[in-house]
Amino acid sequence: MDAALKENESRGHLPTFYIVSSDESQTVLFGKLVRFLPCRVIEMQADDFFTEAEGAYKGMGIDRLACLRGAMNITGTPVLVIDGGTAMTYTAMDEKGMIMGGGISCGIKMRMDALETFTSGLPAMNVEKELTRIIDEATKSDSPANVFATNTKDAMVVASLVEISAYIRSVIDVWMSKVGRPKKRKETDGAKKGKSSSKCNHDRVVALAGGAGNLIAKLLDENEGGILNSTPKPQIPAKHVNGLIHFGVTWVLCEKSNQTQKMPHIADANGLGKKVTTETKQKWTKFVGESVIKEFNDNTGASVQTFKGQVISFSVWDSEDGSGEYPLYRIVYSDGDEEDVDLAELKQLVADYKTKAVDPKNNPEGFIGSRVAKVFFGTQLYFGTVNSYSDSLWRVNYDDGDEEEYEESELLAAVKTCEDSKGSDPKAP
């Protein structure tokens, strides 16, 4: 508590939590968690985002409405948001900004769990691991997964991918039949003179959100991104927007406080904005996939913890003074946390990784949080995470619950094995 009060004094204001949740029990638990902290907690309501007059029906999930608001201000109208979370949802809006409605179905993990739970002969499985394996085998070897699978686990996963691909493409087709197909833009007199107009989603870009957003984006690519060996399919313009719900919240807060919110461009397949030169594209894109390392203060402020991470994507933003565009890079750290950093900070984090993270003698704690892999029983590859360092030994917790201590040579070998096998790591960023 003392540390929290001291931090507030340095900031000069109370931290504010904005809650967007359809689960009342979780909201209550969060309130109990922070009730003794010096902060404000504001539970947002559905009509903060859209009213019934705008098409929001009674009981419509506030998370869906927040994502729809974020997509509306990124792509323009009409809007279609597909959220691949625990449940898979889609929510649509027409060109006039009226909500058309949507649908709710099982997410991919829920589908797999249902097969195992409600049958007697189908196995439980690590869905993320099996998905990663099938996708990597399909894309890296240029050999799409056979729709007619020859083993049980593949049959379960592939059938779910076929269902999801067909289901989503069907929804998009119906949406486009209602709002019209992508249009070729004609330069109007107003456009020639530099006048702005209300944002319109001419290209009918579909906004994707949720943990399965990247997977859905692949399935909507030409021929399903080479994942499935099925009939030829065209590419559908769709983009995965990290943290879409946060864009919706930010827009509403700025709108209510009469502030202008700068929204990012929807990037193309390489994560790029619409005005960026080829030279700049190459400079910005090369950082995706880079490893970083960063120090954070712990919750008490008494000690520093070091975490490794990886750059997974970036978005392009307009500068506030209108002078150009700049990138913000999304980093996923080894503990699962994420943050966005600008180019200058990213360059420093990459440089720190190259100088600190690979030096077990001068910076042994730098390996804490690193993913490792080791072969047991001759052929079985097990992944784990370095959790601590003491007395020249690194303690590793494997994903299956086992533990082991590494000497320096073992650690370096396990780090290299993990890097070489990253496509099979179920917890890889």
Side-chain angles (χ1 to χ4, degrees), residues 7 13 33 59 73 181 205 212 229 249 256 265-266 278 287 291 299 321 349 365 373 395 412 425:
E7 180 66 20
H13 62 84
L33 179 68
N73 290 286
R181 305 288 168 178
V205 175
N229 183 16
V249 172
K256 289 183 179 295
H265 298 307
I266 279 290
T278 301
F287 289 100
S291 296
N299 293 332
D321 60 7
L349 296 179
E365 288 86 0
R395 177 169 291 278
L412 294 176
D425 185 356

Side-chain angles (χ1 to χ4, degrees), residues 1 126 226 262 269 418:
M1 177 63 74
N126 183 324
K262 296 288 187 181
C418 185

Side-chain angles (χ1 to χ4, degrees), residues 166-204:
Y167 156 60
I168 292 172
R169 285 175 176 269
S170 176
V171 168
I172 294 172
D173 187 62
V174 173
W175 174 65
M176 287 189 180
S177 72
K178 302 286 187 183
V179 300
R181 305 288 168 178
K183 303 173 183 177
K184 290 185 178 180
R185 279 171 276 183
K186 296 180 180 179
E187 191 174 45
T188 64
D189 292 338
K192 291 176 182 177
K193 295 175 183 177
K195 294 180 180 178
S196 61
S197 58
S198 58
K199 200 167 187 179
C200 182
N201 185 8
H202 294 283
D203 297 328
R204 302 301 190 252

Side-chain angles (χ1 to χ4, degrees), residues 275-289:
K275 311 172 191 174
V276 184
T277 65
T278 301
E279 182 181 1
T280 304
K281 288 179 182 181
Q282 294 172 347
K283 290 180 180 178
W284 289 355
T285 305
K286 71 178 183 180
F287 289 100
V288 176

Side-chain angles (χ1 to χ4, degrees), residues 2 26 38 164 168 191 198 222 255 294 331 346:
D2 290 340
Q26 293 298 313
I164 290 171
I168 292 172
S198 58
E222 184 178 6
E255 188 177 57
K294 186 173 181 179
I331 296 174
L346 177 66

Side-chain angles (χ1 to χ4, degrees), residues 40-58:
R40 297 188 303 165
V41 178
I42 298 174
E43 184 178 1
M44 300 190 75
Q45 304 299 315
D47 59 8
D48 288 328
F49 299 97
F50 293 99
T51 64
E52 290 188 13
E54 294 169 307
Y57 59 80
K58 187 176 181 180

Side-chain angles (χ1 to χ4, degrees), residues 197-302:
S197 58
S198 58
K199 200 167 187 179
C200 182
N201 185 8
H202 294 283
D203 297 328
R204 302 301 190 252
V205 175
V206 178
L208 307 177
N214 279 323
L215 170 62
I216 295 171
K218 288 184 174 71
L219 292 174
L220 293 179
D221 204 350
E222 184 178 6
N223 296 329
E224 295 166 316
I227 295 175
L228 297 172
N229 183 16
S230 59
T231 55
K233 293 180 177 63
Q235 181 180 18
I236 292 176
K239 306 298 175 188
H240 182 205
V241 183
N242 285 317
L244 182 58
I245 192 170
H246 300 293
F247 288 115
V249 172
T250 302
W251 186 271
V252 167
L253 295 179
C254 289
E255 188 177 57
K256 289 183 179 295
S257 60
N258 296 316
Q259 296 183 25
T260 301
Q261 169 66 14
K262 296 288 187 181
M263 301 302 286
H265 298 307
I266 279 290
D268 64 19
N270 295 315
L272 306 169
K274 299 175 181 177
K275 311 172 191 174
V276 184
T277 65
T278 301
E279 182 181 1
T280 304
K281 288 179 182 181
Q282 294 172 347
K283 290 180 180 178
W284 289 355
T285 305
K286 71 178 183 180
F287 289 100
V288 176
E290 286 278 5
S291 296
V292 301
I293 191 168
K294 186 173 181 179
E295 294 180 345
F296 294 87
N297 290 325
D298 68 5
N299 293 332
T300 66

Side-chain angles (χ1 to χ4, degrees), residues 67-79:
C67 284
L68 191 65
R69 171 63 73 177
M72 176 185 177
N73 290 286
I74 293 175
T75 67
T77 58
V79 183

